[in-house]
Amino acid sequence: DSSSVQHQLYDVQQIVGSAAAFAALRGDGAVVAWGDVTLGGTLAEAEENLQGVQQIAASAGAFAAMLSNGDLVCWGSPEWG
């Protein structure tokens, strides 16, 4: 249910999903996540590092974001990514 982040879901350029969470990349390079927090449905631990995101990818329980400088930022279950 994306109702808690609906106000943040605008100008979405890409969306990916894990087994029980989603992440959306907006045109301004921001990422919005929701769903099961153990499978990447929260950005609490990664949010400060998610600047200039170019692309996002998902596994069954984790997400990865490629930044404009080539760095990768991952969040979600350590067992899945």
Side-chain angles (χ1 to χ4, degrees):
D1 179 5
S2 65
S3 60
S4 64
V5 296
Q6 191 64 45
H7 64 284
Q8 298 175 53
L9 294 172
Y10 56 87
D11 192 25
V12 172
Q13 305 295 306
Q14 182 186 8
I15 186 167
V16 295
S18 71
F22 289 94
L25 174 61
R26 296 192 323 218
D28 62 2
V31 176
V32 180
W34 67 96
D36 185 327
V37 298
T38 64
L39 298 177
T42 181
L43 298 174
E45 296 179 17
E47 192 165 20
E48 67 184 49
N49 297 314
L50 289 171
Q51 306 295 322
V53 176
Q54 300 292 304
Q55 186 174 358
I56 51 179
S59 69
F63 295 89
M66 183 177 66
L67 308 183
S68 58
N69 65 3
D71 287 352
L72 292 176
V73 176
C74 301
W75 69 96
S77 172
E79 292 145 6
W80 290 98

